[in-house]
Amino acid sequence: MFENVEKSEIDNLGEFGLIDHLTKNIILTQPSTIKGAGDDAAVLNFGDKKTLISTDLLLEGIHFDLAYTPLKHLGYKAIQVNLSDIYAMNGTATQVTVSLGLSSKFPIEAVEELYLGMLLACKKYEIDLIGGDTSASKQGLVISITSIGYADEKDIIYRNTAQEGDLICVSGDLGGAYVGLQLLEREKLVYLENPQIQPDLEGKDYIIERQLKPEARRDIILALKEMGVKPTSMIDVSDGLSSELIHICKQSEKGCNLYEEKIPLDPMTFDTAREFNLDPSICALSGGEDYELLFTVKQSDYDIIKNNPDITVIGHITEQAAGMNLISRSGKVHPLKAQGWNAFNK
């Protein structure tokens, strides 16, 4: 990406010079931000609100591959996956801190590109970037984001409060990010075998974007509030639908019936999964990185949410003794298994 321009060595700026260089154009917009980057700590004022904080770590070679991940997209995604955690608590995200571990292979222009993606995400979602840290790294690129937000105590939604009879809902569609990743991995292998061959990604924009540039579902949180519907439990789909639903059930001490035929799949996800001889439903259940919202609502809210095209009812909560079950398209009952993505798998 930067082969044809003269590179600027980070060593010439040093840690504090780099921080000044990256943060000089940050504009603070949140009334709750009293002091942002530039001191020993940021200062925030939320008054009588409850503060929400979440941290995610993204490691090169584990969470992303720079062979096919543009740095601008990576910066954007790094912010989005953290904001998703705040929205999954039914909160308002307001600030992030960014910490980077940088190896010597990254010139300043590369870090600028990464930051550009981060600042684009912050601007779109009205988030202040208020500080962080930088360090040299011998393990490639390391990104750590902490997201901060707030909510009234009465509005916060937890994972452990689903009730028997509640409807299980999910936003958007699932499996696209995983199938997009398979496509990118395939084209990487083709390129490594023959660098003269151009990637064959034509017509696959949607699933590629689902992997490289996900969007946190703030819009769903706002839509639910506008409809007057407060979910009884909620979580974001980062590790796969099955893993996330099991989290809700275990922490709520409940069971569930999840209906395979109800799982929302985009046609491109479905068709591309078939091209790879993958079961599209398994991609949705175990793929992860969709960053949709999985939540439960009271049955009495069904008539309110049923006409929202971005919300799909996919099952219901049962008593704990009934177990956690997947009902296949043929009507067979299978135990729901957590086979989502695990960073510690070899």
Side-chain angles (χ1 to χ4, degrees), residues 306-344:
K306 67 179 181 181
N307 294 321
N308 187 305
D310 275 335
I311 296 175
T312 305
V313 178
I314 58 174
H316 60 271
I317 298 295
T318 63
E319 63 177 351
Q320 187 173 26
M324 296 173 284
N325 301 303
L326 173 68
I327 315 301
S328 72
R329 296 179 191 276
S330 62
K332 293 184 179 179
V333 179
H334 305 275
L336 188 64
K337 296 181 179 179
Q339 296 176 315
W341 189 82
N342 184 342
F344 294 96

Side-chain angles (χ1 to χ4, degrees), residues 31-50:
S32 53
T33 309
I34 296 174
K35 176 67 178 178
D39 213 307
D40 288 311
V43 180
L44 311 178
N45 177 20
F46 291 107
D48 59 353
K49 305 289 185 181
K50 300 300 180 183

Side-chain angles (χ1 to χ4, degrees), residues 214-282:
E215 298 284 348
R217 297 310 302 260
R218 178 179 64 168
D219 59 320
I220 296 295
I221 296 301
L222 296 175
L224 289 168
K225 288 180 180 177
E226 189 173 319
M227 290 186 284
V229 174
K230 181 185 176 183
T232 54
S233 67
M234 187 155 56
I235 192 171
D236 74 327
V237 183
S238 55
D239 299 328
L241 174 61
S242 59
S243 293
E244 312 302 0
L245 184 51
I246 287 173
H247 282 313
I248 286 178
C249 289
K250 284 187 173 180
Q251 293 191 28
S252 299
E253 298 182 344
K254 297 291 185 289
C256 68
N257 283 336
L258 169 64
Y259 293 88
E260 181 187 5
E261 65 180 1
K262 300 293 186 182
I263 298 173
L265 297 164
D266 184 84
M268 187 184 294
T269 299
F270 187 93
D271 294 342
T272 310
R274 290 300 190 194
E275 290 175 21
F276 280 90
N277 294 315
L278 297 170
D279 183 330
S281 295
I282 297 298

